[in-house]
Amino acid sequence: MLAAFVLFLLAIMASDLTRRRVPNGLVLLGAAGAALALLLNRQPFGLGWEEALAGGSIAFGALLLTYALGVMGAGDVKFAGALGLWTGLAPLVPIWIGASLLAGLHAVLWLALRRWPVAPRLFLALSSPRIARNGDGKRNTATPARKARHVPLAAYLAMATLIWIAGGRGSAPALAAPLY
């Protein structure tokens, strides 16, 4: 089931990086995969229902506030809930810290390239697809007044989770090991 989880993370990354969208169907598929892994007792990180539900609930609830403030999209929030179902509560803080650092780097680089256009292709790659179509960094008035999302947080949460898995934290014995 770890392979299914990794494929889910890669699909989220591809969608969020290229279109700045996290499809509901993909999030639902990921949450269903986590539930199936729990039902079949094949949860890749050795979690039970309580740990998985705690992770999903806390992840969803924590990001719901930032969505309510207009800081991020709903897809990021829903993905965080599905991610928490897979990982449980314990690894969420290091995953969020890693994702926040990646997202912060993305934002700083985007702002710098917007101000000093030394690498226009990189600027467009870091921009939302709507900005990339316009090419000028300004709001497209032909589209609805939906706020452009420049930072693909779900993609960075998925990347940080893959780093966490690759670092050995993704195995059940490593979860129990001390962090020092």
Side-chain angles (χ1 to χ4, degrees), residues 51-99:
E51 297 99 341
L53 291 174
S57 301
I58 297 294
F60 182 84
L63 293 188
L64 188 59
L65 176 62
T66 57
Y67 169 73
L69 295 172
V71 176
M72 71 178 56
D76 298 327
V77 178
K78 292 178 271 189
F79 169 66
L83 178 65
L85 285 175
W86 277 102
T87 65
L89 189 57
L92 286 180
V93 170
I95 288 170
W96 280 342
I97 290 171

Side-chain angles (χ1 to χ4, degrees), residues 67-153:
Y67 169 73
L69 295 172
V71 176
M72 71 178 56
D76 298 327
V77 178
K78 292 178 271 189
F79 169 66
L83 178 65
L85 285 175
W86 277 102
T87 65
L89 189 57
L92 286 180
V93 170
I95 288 170
W96 280 342
I97 290 171
S100 297
L101 291 173
L102 290 169
L105 179 63
H106 178 117
V108 166
L109 189 55
W110 184 85
L111 288 170
L113 290 173
R114 183 175 181 204
R115 181 151 172 95
W116 301 288
V118 294
R121 287 183 187 213
L122 181 58
F123 172 75
L124 291 176
L126 293 171
S127 296
S128 73
R130 219 170 53 214
I131 298 289
R133 279 193 304 273
N134 287 353
D136 62 3
K138 294 180 177 60
R139 186 172 162 264
N140 183 353
T141 57
T143 59
R146 193 173 66 105
K147 188 174 181 180
R149 306 268 182 223
H150 299 290
V151 179
L153 182 63

Side-chain angles (χ1 to χ4, degrees), residues 1 27-37 82 85-86:
M1 284 299 222
V27 173
L28 190 58
L29 184 65
L36 182 63
L85 285 175
W86 277 102

